[in-house]
Amino acid sequence: MTDQAKTGRTGVAVLGIGVMGAPIARDLLHAGFDVTVWNRTKEKAEALAAQGASVASAPSEAASDVEFLITMLTDGAAVEAAMTGPEGALAALSPDAVWIQMSTVGVAATQRLAELADKRVGFVDAPVSGSSEPAERGELLILASGNPALRPRLRPLFDALGHRTLWLDRPGDGNRLKLVLNNWLAVLAEGMAETIGLATSLGLDPGLLLDTLAESQLGSAYATAKGRAMVKRDFTPGFPLHHACKDAARALDAADRHGIELPLTEALSKRWNEAISLGHGNDDVAAAITTAR
Ligand SMILES: NC(=O)c1ccc[n+]([C@@H]2O[C@H](COP(=O)([O-])OP(=O)(O)OC[C@H]3O[C@@H](n4cnc5c(N)ncnc54)[C@H](OP(=O)(O)O)[C@@H]3O)[C@@H](O)[C@H]2O)c1
């Protein structure tokens, strides 16, 4: 008898219990799913045991007997390792299971992962917009694409994680849209860091800049919030700089493949890599201010 049959609850495996995977697993537990978690560094997964999760020692163990498997890992290479490496999850999934790929991996890796899943299990590309706080509240925006026939089955799970699921038509459009949104986020964050630098060098209080933006059509709620964190030097990670930089690199790859240029993204990537080399990789993207001069 499967675990699902034993408990009467839908079994979900979550691979990757990091900043995003942990609140996602908690949301699923609160919504009544039967959750099994796996993380490369096992202690992070074990922290969820007290909240009712089963902790697996390998991806393959997490994948057996579940209806859904979520990957929420750093990048395409990490996802591929967890799915097809030694004790990988893919071979252990039942043919009826659905692999929900929520990591931000870019366009080429999404294509590759979809090919790995092809003919073995259902595959849905479903990256998310929103950081750890919206994830904790079950208020992510889910950018989903995949076989439309799977949508009704996925609805209860997505409803537990997000306030909205945006279903997109072409396979892989979830990661395409995510890449585009994060390119915009990067340009906003760097623009704010540089503009605070300019305001300061002109002898203006950066608070004046932020208050004026907040009351103007020029302002963006996201950029202004990041600006306030930059001024306070509060780099508590919501969205870590190393992830933002990884996404900028994937945007540059995609632009290159399509024969266009992203000069702003190219310029900010250099500066952000510098900030990472100075130890700000795990800090929030607000740490972009550290290279503004
Ligand atoms: N944080 C955000 O605000 C945010 C928002 C939207 C989307 N995302 C995206 O969501 C994904 C996860 O982000 P996160 O913030 O949760 O990242 P994170 O806290 O850095 O967690 C990364 C996870 O990936 C695992 N991992 C990394 N390399 C691995 C490998 N080679 N093999 C197996 N496991 C590996 C880590 O395991 P260990 O614990 O062992 O290191 C950890 O579980 C990323 O694609 C990110 O771009 C993040």
Side-chain angles (χ1 to χ4, degrees):
M1 192 188 289
T2 65
D3 284 353
Q4 185 177 337
K6 274 184 273 178
T7 64
R9 293 182 286 146
T10 304
V12 186
V14 182
L15 307 188
I17 303 301
V19 168
M20 297 299 286
I24 282 174
R26 277 194 289 272
D27 289 342
L28 293 170
L29 285 164
H30 292 150
F33 289 91
D34 191 351
V35 180
T36 304
V37 292
W38 171 83
N39 197 63
R40 179 180 60 178
T41 308
K42 200 174 181 188
E43 295 74 41
K44 292 188 199 169
E46 282 168 344
L48 287 171
Q51 291 160 65
S54 306
V55 180
S57 299
S60 54
E61 186 187 325
S64 62
D65 289 339
V66 293
E67 182 170 343
F68 301 110
L69 177 135
I70 292 174
T71 41
M72 197 45 156
L73 299 148
T74 304
D75 55 16
V79 174
E80 194 165 337
M83 293 305 291
T84 63
E87 301 186 281
L90 192 56
L93 280 172
S94 119
D96 297 334
V98 182
W99 170 11
I100 306 164
Q101 205 308 100
M102 303 194 98
S103 330
T104 307
V105 301
V107 179
T110 299
Q111 171 76 30
R112 162 124 189 98
L113 298 172
E115 282 165 11
L116 289 175
D118 195 30
K119 298 190 180 68
R120 260 213 58 78
V121 292
F123 180 83
V124 173
D125 167 41
V128 297
S129 182
S131 58
S132 53
E133 285 181 20
E136 205 67 67
R137 297 193 300 269
E139 289 179 3
L140 294 166
L141 168 63
I142 300 167
L143 310 172
S145 56
N147 181 352
L150 294 172
R151 293 181 190 183
R153 258 177 86 190
L154 288 162
R155 188 171 300 128
L157 186 146
F158 283 166
D159 284 351
L161 304 182
H163 68 98
R164 185 173 174 215
T165 301
L166 186 59
W167 278 104
L168 303 157
D169 287 336
R170 282 187 310 168
D173 269 359
N175 253 282
R176 286 189 193 94
L177 182 56
K178 176 67 184 168
L179 199 63
V180 170
L181 291 175
N182 276 19
N183 190 63
W184 178 236
L185 173 159
V187 168
L188 283 178
E190 177 63 15
M192 179 53 79
E194 292 181 22
T195 306
I196 288 175
L198 176 64
T200 308
S201 71
L202 295 178
L204 289 171
D205 176 357
L208 175 64
L209 163 70
L210 295 169
D211 290 345
T212 311
L213 282 174
E215 289 167 15
S216 149
Q217 286 191 340
L218 290 176
S220 127
Y222 176 81
T224 308
K226 288 297 152 192
R228 297 207 189 280
M230 288 175 188
V231 170
K232 284 195 274 180
R233 292 292 197 272
D234 176 1
F235 304 148
T236 311
F239 184 43
L241 192 64
H242 73 97
H243 281 322
C245 216
K246 172 235 346 162
D247 295 344
R250 294 295 75 77
L252 289 169
D253 291 345
D256 192 42
R257 273 198 310 280
H258 291 272
I260 67 152
E261 292 181 359
L262 296 176
L264 294 175
T265 310
E266 213 161 304
L268 70 85
S269 289
K270 285 198 189 99
R271 292 164 72 99
W272 290 8
N273 275 312
E274 197 183 309
I276 290 170
S277 69
L278 293 172
H280 292 292
N282 289 321
D283 287 344
D284 188 71
V285 69
I289 191 75
T290 59
T291 57
R293 50 186 168 253

